[in-house]
Amino acid sequence: MADFIDDLLRRMSLADKIGQLNHPGIGADTTGAGTAAADIETRIRRGEVGGLSAGFGLERLAALQRLAVDHSPHRIPLLFTLDVIHGHRTVFPLPLALACSWDPDLVRRTARVAAAEAAAAGVALAWAPMLDVARDARWGRCAEGFGEDPLLAGAFARAVVEGYQGRDLARPDSVMACAKHFAGYGLAEAGRDYNAVDVSPFRMHNVVLPPFKEAVAAGVGAVMVGFHDLAGIPCTAHRQLLKGLLRQRWGFDGLIVSDYTAIAELVNHGVAADAREAAFLAFTAGVDIDLVSGIYLDHLPALVAEGRIAAAEIDAACRRVLRAKFRLGLFSEPLRGLDEERKDAATLTPEHRRLAREAAAKACVLLKNNGVLPLARAGGVIALVGPLADSRANMQGTWAVAAQPSDSATILEGMKAALGERGTILHAKGANIVDDPNVAARLNLFGETFAIDDRSPEEMIAEAVACAGRADAVVACVGEAKEHSGESSTRTDLGLPGSQQRLLEALHRTGKPLVLVALSGRPLALEWEDRHADAILHAWFGGTEAGNAIADLLFGDINPSGKLAMSFPRSAGQCPIHYAEAPTGRPIDKIGIDVAGDAEVYGDGRRVFRKFTTACRLEGAHTPLYPFGHGIGYSKFRYGELVLDKPALRGDRDVLTATITVRNIGALPGEEIVQLYIGDPVASRSRPVRELKAFRKVTLQPGEERAVSFDITAADLGFFRAERLDEPEEVCEPGLFRIEIGRSSQQLSAATIEWQAAA
Ligand code: BGC
């Protein structure tokens, strides 16, 4: 490969090399800063295009590829790229939903299928996985990532990279993966997309960067840079982050790609006076590929001529692009994946659908159940109501660019198919997703997924209540439209939109058992629902087979097993909220008690609040409504004592085993996700109260008991100290550590161990 690329580079002019760094946009430009798609053929002939979005039919892609390999100066093939975020034509649950499976192997399998389908549609590089740790449910892009925890997200980072890239990138069912958005994008202030992020190197290394490090260790081919600024420096211009940390410290030698028009946006950020300066800043920071700005093409030649950028640096960036194309087999087979017959055979197969159904069921989280679920089939009448009960175009969730709504079953269809002749389903819409036509228009930006009903909210509610009156149980499918989450979809209110809550209140008043199936791309604030519904199944957006999978769960054909990968707040005002909080100087568990009515009552009846602790919350508790790791099923699991095989560890290699027994005391077989957390109560830095360190999923038959063991080494106890982003120091500090094992981040058994450095 090296000789081939050396030879090619020797023959290329500076302009040819810069052409390889240019990745123009096609189709509608949504930001106004992109280069036009116009005249793409001429540009390809001139060697000005390194890659393109694969967002159009195979015939056109094949024609463009032929143009590149037959008529561009060095016959270099184009790199076709696309957002393949949670499946391609077969749509899997949103990444945040998949994360609730706590099942990296499942995610690896979904990624393999996504890669096979995308590759068969001409895609060579997928803009995924998104690895931004997200702790603020207002941020719409939390849907695209794997939740709030760095370890869990890291496990999925590896799974997706391995699933996409396979053993060999040149295989016809592999695509190159791209870890994004480097780094810290998920911590945008107030959850407002594109907003500034100002976090310390300490938090970056302990929270934000671990999933990216895992992706790099797994061999990810590309990294996309975040839109945002990090402590005043836009990531696109962040030399310390890109060159210092990613290239030099971590040794990443794959592609570094800007986000869409992000190089041009350096002018808006206010760090570049003009396009040329933006090109200079981005390139010298380490960005190889200019996605859609067209600025490299226009300005790098002059910057080299002026001596501000060394020609050797252009060579190095171009070499990385050529290497990626070589590894993908594009030089030997430029038309890879551009074959209509292969595409049909590889797409939406029964096997893919089966996996989609399995994944959709494993991604759902049963938040609450007072026994009303699973629903009885025989002879029952079920009122299936709510704006998402029969909403085909909303089943796939955001960022499903190749989805065809007609492929998806709705919940109504799934329920009818599962029930057959054994019972009756009555259906009413009950409410619009939103009632405000302006909001509806925004939510239908990428094509209409729902329409506002002609009837008034009152009429719709009355119809649903009438249905409920004739039923034995009510299943209300409520939540968001698919575009409520995703890019630039920030919410300031995390309740159910529009008149949906009013619908639920009216249904509740009927006195019929009330089951909620909630669909959303983010955690919602469901305090009222928690108090009044008999059961809540959080189904996220589950993709092509979601309707069937939800029916599988509601009727108990599958036992729910998902657990939350992101905390559910009580209200938007609590955001950001996550389980791995710092103890602070006034820890709630030591000084205040975080429950309603938690003031001490003196003998004379006076209520005394502890100043600055319990008294500092004026509305509601500080804790989340449903914590990270929470999720129940139709079985019950009893946890035994936490047992350690020894009390202390010494040095780096020593292993201590912590074991807990878990017994299925329910009547159904079930899966339980057992979680290990570690806390470091005294260290040179204030460490989070607890951090997830390992997890295991066990399947238990009724009455079966299993000892679940975790091996703990110094690697689980350490953390990063970092004053500078590019100079992290990984340390393990001697002392006591708290080991906790249990069913969620708030239901745990604890023990203490000691670690000492080797003598
Ligand atoms: C998003 C990226 C995406 C890119 C290309 C941007 O707006 O931030 O995540 O990969 O567009 O579609």
PDB file of all heavy atoms in Angstrom, residues 583 678-691 717-719 731-738:
ATOM      1  N   PRO A 583     -19.344  14.393  45.225  1.00  0.00           N
ATOM      2  CA  PRO A 583     -19.990  14.384  46.546  1.00  0.00           C
ATOM      3  C   PRO A 583     -20.365  15.791  47.012  1.00  0.00           C
ATOM      4  O   PRO A 583     -21.350  15.952  47.725  1.00  0.00           O
ATOM      5  CB  PRO A 583     -18.924  13.770  47.451  1.00  0.00           C
ATOM      6  CG  PRO A 583     -17.642  13.847  46.700  1.00  0.00           C
ATOM      7  CD  PRO A 583     -17.979  13.897  45.251  1.00  0.00           C
ATOM      8  N   ILE A 678     -17.840   1.720  41.464  1.00  0.00           N
ATOM      9  CA  ILE A 678     -16.758   1.926  42.431  1.00  0.00           C
ATOM     10  C   ILE A 678     -16.687   3.413  42.775  1.00  0.00           C
ATOM     11  O   ILE A 678     -16.839   4.273  41.899  1.00  0.00           O
ATOM     12  CB  ILE A 678     -15.409   1.414  41.867  1.00  0.00           C
ATOM     13  CG1 ILE A 678     -15.511  -0.102  41.617  1.00  0.00           C
ATOM     14  CG2 ILE A 678     -14.263   1.723  42.836  1.00  0.00           C
ATOM     15  CD1 ILE A 678     -14.240  -0.782  41.147  1.00  0.00           C
ATOM     16  N   GLY A 679     -16.470   3.675  44.064  1.00  0.00           N
ATOM     17  CA  GLY A 679     -16.285   5.053  44.524  1.00  0.00           C
ATOM     18  C   GLY A 679     -14.944   5.154  45.231  1.00  0.00           C
ATOM     19  O   GLY A 679     -14.452   4.176  45.795  1.00  0.00           O
ATOM     20  N   ASP A 680     -14.379   6.339  45.177  1.00  0.00           N
ATOM     21  CA  ASP A 680     -13.052   6.565  45.773  1.00  0.00           C
ATOM     22  C   ASP A 680     -13.208   7.716  46.769  1.00  0.00           C
ATOM     23  O   ASP A 680     -13.041   8.882  46.418  1.00  0.00           O
ATOM     24  CB  ASP A 680     -12.087   6.935  44.630  1.00  0.00           C
ATOM     25  CG  ASP A 680     -10.667   7.132  45.114  1.00  0.00           C
ATOM     26  OD1 ASP A 680     -10.422   6.989  46.327  1.00  0.00           O
ATOM     27  OD2 ASP A 680      -9.805   7.426  44.263  1.00  0.00           O
ATOM     28  N   PRO A 681     -13.542   7.388  48.025  1.00  0.00           N
ATOM     29  CA  PRO A 681     -13.948   8.449  48.962  1.00  0.00           C
ATOM     30  C   PRO A 681     -12.856   9.461  49.309  1.00  0.00           C
ATOM     31  O   PRO A 681     -13.172  10.603  49.595  1.00  0.00           O
ATOM     32  CB  PRO A 681     -14.371   7.672  50.219  1.00  0.00           C
ATOM     33  CG  PRO A 681     -14.529   6.258  49.795  1.00  0.00           C
ATOM     34  CD  PRO A 681     -13.665   6.046  48.599  1.00  0.00           C
ATOM     35  N   VAL A 682     -11.570   9.024  49.290  1.00  0.00           N
ATOM     36  CA  VAL A 682     -10.516   9.998  49.587  1.00  0.00           C
ATOM     37  C   VAL A 682      -9.450   9.918  48.507  1.00  0.00           C
ATOM     38  O   VAL A 682      -8.802   8.875  48.337  1.00  0.00           O
ATOM     39  CB  VAL A 682      -9.860   9.723  50.969  1.00  0.00           C
ATOM     40  CG1 VAL A 682      -8.824  10.803  51.267  1.00  0.00           C
ATOM     41  CG2 VAL A 682     -10.919   9.676  52.068  1.00  0.00           C
ATOM     42  N   ALA A 683      -9.273  10.976  47.780  1.00  0.00           N
ATOM     43  CA  ALA A 683      -8.281  10.992  46.693  1.00  0.00           C
ATOM     44  C   ALA A 683      -7.750  12.409  46.555  1.00  0.00           C
ATOM     45  O   ALA A 683      -8.228  13.327  47.228  1.00  0.00           O
ATOM     46  CB  ALA A 683      -8.939  10.537  45.392  1.00  0.00           C
ATOM     47  N   SER A 684      -6.771  12.589  45.662  1.00  0.00           N
ATOM     48  CA  SER A 684      -6.215  13.932  45.496  1.00  0.00           C
ATOM     49  C   SER A 684      -7.189  14.840  44.738  1.00  0.00           C
ATOM     50  O   SER A 684      -7.005  16.044  44.681  1.00  0.00           O
ATOM     51  CB  SER A 684      -4.892  13.851  44.737  1.00  0.00           C
ATOM     52  OG  SER A 684      -5.120  13.295  43.456  1.00  0.00           O
ATOM     53  N   ARG A 685      -8.190  14.242  44.121  1.00  0.00           N
ATOM     54  CA  ARG A 685      -9.246  15.018  43.463  1.00  0.00           C
ATOM     55  C   ARG A 685     -10.586  14.537  44.017  1.00  0.00           C
ATOM     56  O   ARG A 685     -10.722  13.376  44.395  1.00  0.00           O
ATOM     57  CB  ARG A 685      -9.253  14.776  41.944  1.00  0.00           C
ATOM     58  CG  ARG A 685      -7.975  15.129  41.243  1.00  0.00           C
ATOM     59  CD  ARG A 685      -7.768  16.636  41.157  1.00  0.00           C
ATOM     60  NE  ARG A 685      -6.589  16.961  40.373  1.00  0.00           N
ATOM     61  CZ  ARG A 685      -5.340  16.943  40.824  1.00  0.00           C
ATOM     62  NH1 ARG A 685      -5.090  16.623  42.097  1.00  0.00           N
ATOM     63  NH2 ARG A 685      -4.324  17.249  40.032  1.00  0.00           N
ATOM     64  N   SER A 686     -11.569  15.411  44.019  1.00  0.00           N
ATOM     65  CA  SER A 686     -12.901  14.998  44.439  1.00  0.00           C
ATOM     66  C   SER A 686     -13.478  14.117  43.337  1.00  0.00           C
ATOM     67  O   SER A 686     -13.708  14.575  42.219  1.00  0.00           O
ATOM     68  CB  SER A 686     -13.768  16.241  44.642  1.00  0.00           C
ATOM     69  OG  SER A 686     -15.054  15.861  45.033  1.00  0.00           O
ATOM     70  N   ARG A 687     -13.649  12.842  43.646  1.00  0.00           N
ATOM     71  CA  ARG A 687     -14.094  11.881  42.625  1.00  0.00           C
ATOM     72  C   ARG A 687     -15.607  11.705  42.714  1.00  0.00           C
ATOM     73  O   ARG A 687     -16.195  11.894  43.773  1.00  0.00           O
ATOM     74  CB  ARG A 687     -13.445  10.507  42.860  1.00  0.00           C
ATOM     75  CG  ARG A 687     -11.928  10.502  43.036  1.00  0.00           C
ATOM     76  CD  ARG A 687     -11.186  10.434  41.718  1.00  0.00           C
ATOM     77  NE  ARG A 687     -11.818   9.550  40.771  1.00  0.00           N
ATOM     78  CZ  ARG A 687     -11.626   8.221  40.689  1.00  0.00           C
ATOM     79  NH1 ARG A 687     -10.808   7.635  41.528  1.00  0.00           N
ATOM     80  NH2 ARG A 687     -12.237   7.514  39.769  1.00  0.00           N
ATOM     81  N   PRO A 688     -16.239  11.276  41.624  1.00  0.00           N
ATOM     82  CA  PRO A 688     -17.688  11.046  41.678  1.00  0.00           C
ATOM     83  C   PRO A 688     -18.038  10.063  42.790  1.00  0.00           C
ATOM     84  O   PRO A 688     -17.221   9.206  43.152  1.00  0.00           O
ATOM     85  CB  PRO A 688     -17.989  10.408  40.322  1.00  0.00           C
ATOM     86  CG  PRO A 688     -16.875  10.831  39.434  1.00  0.00           C
ATOM     87  CD  PRO A 688     -15.667  10.971  40.314  1.00  0.00           C
ATOM     88  N   VAL A 689     -19.235  10.206  43.317  1.00  0.00           N
ATOM     89  CA  VAL A 689     -19.666   9.315  44.396  1.00  0.00           C
ATOM     90  C   VAL A 689     -19.522   7.862  43.967  1.00  0.00           C
ATOM     91  O   VAL A 689     -19.097   7.000  44.720  1.00  0.00           O
ATOM     92  CB  VAL A 689     -21.143   9.609  44.763  1.00  0.00           C
ATOM     93  CG1 VAL A 689     -21.647   8.654  45.817  1.00  0.00           C
ATOM     94  CG2 VAL A 689     -21.271  11.049  45.221  1.00  0.00           C
ATOM     95  N   ARG A 690     -19.898   7.589  42.750  1.00  0.00           N
ATOM     96  CA  ARG A 690     -19.720   6.237  42.206  1.00  0.00           C
ATOM     97  C   ARG A 690     -19.596   6.331  40.687  1.00  0.00           C
ATOM     98  O   ARG A 690     -20.104   7.282  40.074  1.00  0.00           O
ATOM     99  CB  ARG A 690     -20.886   5.321  42.576  1.00  0.00           C
ATOM    100  CG  ARG A 690     -22.258   5.775  42.095  1.00  0.00           C
ATOM    101  CD  ARG A 690     -23.358   4.822  42.552  1.00  0.00           C
ATOM    102  NE  ARG A 690     -23.380   4.683  44.002  1.00  0.00           N
ATOM    103  CZ  ARG A 690     -24.082   5.489  44.801  1.00  0.00           C
ATOM    104  NH1 ARG A 690     -24.825   6.448  44.308  1.00  0.00           N
ATOM    105  NH2 ARG A 690     -24.035   5.328  46.101  1.00  0.00           N
ATOM    106  N   GLU A 691     -18.907   5.347  40.138  1.00  0.00           N
ATOM    107  CA  GLU A 691     -18.781   5.257  38.676  1.00  0.00           C
ATOM    108  C   GLU A 691     -18.976   3.807  38.253  1.00  0.00           C
ATOM    109  O   GLU A 691     -18.438   2.896  38.900  1.00  0.00           O
ATOM    110  CB  GLU A 691     -17.393   5.695  38.220  1.00  0.00           C
ATOM    111  CG  GLU A 691     -17.141   7.181  38.363  1.00  0.00           C
ATOM    112  CD  GLU A 691     -15.697   7.544  38.045  1.00  0.00           C
ATOM    113  OE1 GLU A 691     -14.769   6.957  38.647  1.00  0.00           O
ATOM    114  OE2 GLU A 691     -15.489   8.406  37.195  1.00  0.00           O
ATOM    115  N   LEU A 717      -9.707   1.230  39.491  1.00  0.00           N
ATOM    116  CA  LEU A 717      -9.700   2.168  40.622  1.00  0.00           C
ATOM    117  C   LEU A 717      -9.091   3.514  40.247  1.00  0.00           C
ATOM    118  O   LEU A 717      -9.287   4.502  40.955  1.00  0.00           O
ATOM    119  CB  LEU A 717      -8.895   1.557  41.783  1.00  0.00           C
ATOM    120  CG  LEU A 717      -9.305   0.129  42.199  1.00  0.00           C
ATOM    121  CD1 LEU A 717      -8.372  -0.397  43.296  1.00  0.00           C
ATOM    122  CD2 LEU A 717     -10.746   0.099  42.691  1.00  0.00           C
ATOM    123  N   GLY A 718      -8.364   3.538  39.151  1.00  0.00           N
ATOM    124  CA  GLY A 718      -7.614   4.745  38.804  1.00  0.00           C
ATOM    125  C   GLY A 718      -8.471   5.820  38.155  1.00  0.00           C
ATOM    126  O   GLY A 718      -9.668   5.634  37.908  1.00  0.00           O
ATOM    127  N   PHE A 719      -7.843   6.937  37.874  1.00  0.00           N
ATOM    128  CA  PHE A 719      -8.519   8.025  37.163  1.00  0.00           C
ATOM    129  C   PHE A 719      -7.459   8.903  36.516  1.00  0.00           C
ATOM    130  O   PHE A 719      -6.259   8.651  36.662  1.00  0.00           O
ATOM    131  CB  PHE A 719      -9.416   8.826  38.111  1.00  0.00           C
ATOM    132  CG  PHE A 719      -8.676   9.615  39.171  1.00  0.00           C
ATOM    133  CD1 PHE A 719      -8.507  10.992  39.061  1.00  0.00           C
ATOM    134  CD2 PHE A 719      -8.156   8.976  40.289  1.00  0.00           C
ATOM    135  CE1 PHE A 719      -7.832  11.715  40.033  1.00  0.00           C
ATOM    136  CE2 PHE A 719      -7.473   9.695  41.279  1.00  0.00           C
ATOM    137  CZ  PHE A 719      -7.313  11.057  41.146  1.00  0.00           C
ATOM    138  N   VAL A 731      -3.613   7.791  37.116  1.00  0.00           N
ATOM    139  CA  VAL A 731      -3.074   7.446  38.438  1.00  0.00           C
ATOM    140  C   VAL A 731      -4.026   6.508  39.171  1.00  0.00           C
ATOM    141  O   VAL A 731      -5.233   6.493  38.926  1.00  0.00           O
ATOM    142  CB  VAL A 731      -2.882   8.708  39.330  1.00  0.00           C
ATOM    143  CG1 VAL A 731      -1.768   9.584  38.795  1.00  0.00           C
ATOM    144  CG2 VAL A 731      -4.179   9.494  39.465  1.00  0.00           C
ATOM    145  N   CYS A 732      -3.427   5.719  40.061  1.00  0.00           N
ATOM    146  CA  CYS A 732      -4.237   4.956  40.999  1.00  0.00           C
ATOM    147  C   CYS A 732      -3.687   5.314  42.371  1.00  0.00           C
ATOM    148  O   CYS A 732      -2.493   5.138  42.626  1.00  0.00           O
ATOM    149  CB  CYS A 732      -4.091   3.460  40.719  1.00  0.00           C
ATOM    150  SG  CYS A 732      -5.232   2.491  41.717  1.00  0.00           S
ATOM    151  N   GLU A 733      -4.523   5.865  43.206  1.00  0.00           N
ATOM    152  CA  GLU A 733      -4.026   6.363  44.491  1.00  0.00           C
ATOM    153  C   GLU A 733      -4.374   5.390  45.610  1.00  0.00           C
ATOM    154  O   GLU A 733      -5.524   4.949  45.725  1.00  0.00           O
ATOM    155  CB  GLU A 733      -4.643   7.740  44.773  1.00  0.00           C
ATOM    156  CG  GLU A 733      -4.209   8.769  43.737  1.00  0.00           C
ATOM    157  CD  GLU A 733      -4.819  10.155  43.949  1.00  0.00           C
ATOM    158  OE1 GLU A 733      -5.752  10.294  44.757  1.00  0.00           O
ATOM    159  OE2 GLU A 733      -4.355  11.090  43.292  1.00  0.00           O
ATOM    160  N   PRO A 734      -3.369   5.038  46.429  1.00  0.00           N
ATOM    161  CA  PRO A 734      -3.604   4.073  47.511  1.00  0.00           C
ATOM    162  C   PRO A 734      -4.701   4.546  48.456  1.00  0.00           C
ATOM    163  O   PRO A 734      -4.911   5.746  48.646  1.00  0.00           O
ATOM    164  CB  PRO A 734      -2.262   4.031  48.245  1.00  0.00           C
ATOM    165  CG  PRO A 734      -1.273   4.638  47.320  1.00  0.00           C
ATOM    166  CD  PRO A 734      -2.010   5.581  46.437  1.00  0.00           C
ATOM    167  N   GLY A 735      -5.384   3.596  49.032  1.00  0.00           N
ATOM    168  CA  GLY A 735      -6.407   3.941  50.021  1.00  0.00           C
ATOM    169  C   GLY A 735      -7.611   3.026  49.910  1.00  0.00           C
ATOM    170  O   GLY A 735      -7.542   1.948  49.333  1.00  0.00           O
ATOM    171  N   LEU A 736      -8.712   3.499  50.488  1.00  0.00           N
ATOM    172  CA  LEU A 736      -9.938   2.700  50.522  1.00  0.00           C
ATOM    173  C   LEU A 736     -10.838   3.045  49.333  1.00  0.00           C
ATOM    174  O   LEU A 736     -10.893   4.202  48.898  1.00  0.00           O
ATOM    175  CB  LEU A 736     -10.695   2.982  51.824  1.00  0.00           C
ATOM    176  CG  LEU A 736      -9.941   2.666  53.121  1.00  0.00           C
ATOM    177  CD1 LEU A 736     -10.802   3.027  54.330  1.00  0.00           C
ATOM    178  CD2 LEU A 736      -9.526   1.188  53.184  1.00  0.00           C
ATOM    179  N   PHE A 737     -11.542   2.049  48.857  1.00  0.00           N
ATOM    180  CA  PHE A 737     -12.495   2.235  47.747  1.00  0.00           C
ATOM    181  C   PHE A 737     -13.807   1.560  48.116  1.00  0.00           C
ATOM    182  O   PHE A 737     -13.819   0.534  48.788  1.00  0.00           O
ATOM    183  CB  PHE A 737     -11.955   1.615  46.453  1.00  0.00           C
ATOM    184  CG  PHE A 737     -10.737   2.316  45.945  1.00  0.00           C
ATOM    185  CD1 PHE A 737      -9.473   1.982  46.444  1.00  0.00           C
ATOM    186  CD2 PHE A 737     -10.839   3.324  45.005  1.00  0.00           C
ATOM    187  CE1 PHE A 737      -8.339   2.645  46.003  1.00  0.00           C
ATOM    188  CE2 PHE A 737      -9.718   3.988  44.554  1.00  0.00           C
ATOM    189  CZ  PHE A 737      -8.461   3.654  45.057  1.00  0.00           C
ATOM    190  N   ARG A 738     -14.908   2.179  47.655  1.00  0.00           N
ATOM    191  CA  ARG A 738     -16.207   1.560  47.911  1.00  0.00           C
ATOM    192  C   ARG A 738     -16.662   0.782  46.674  1.00  0.00           C
ATOM    193  O   ARG A 738     -16.742   1.332  45.573  1.00  0.00           O
ATOM    194  CB  ARG A 738     -17.249   2.608  48.278  1.00  0.00           C
ATOM    195  CG  ARG A 738     -18.503   1.951  48.877  1.00  0.00           C
ATOM    196  CD  ARG A 738     -19.471   2.909  49.540  1.00  0.00           C
ATOM    197  NE  ARG A 738     -19.753   4.021  48.659  1.00  0.00           N
ATOM    198  CZ  ARG A 738     -19.397   5.269  48.899  1.00  0.00           C
ATOM    199  NH1 ARG A 738     -18.767   5.571  50.012  1.00  0.00           N
ATOM    200  NH2 ARG A 738     -19.678   6.227  48.039  1.00  0.00           N
TER     201      ARG A 738
END
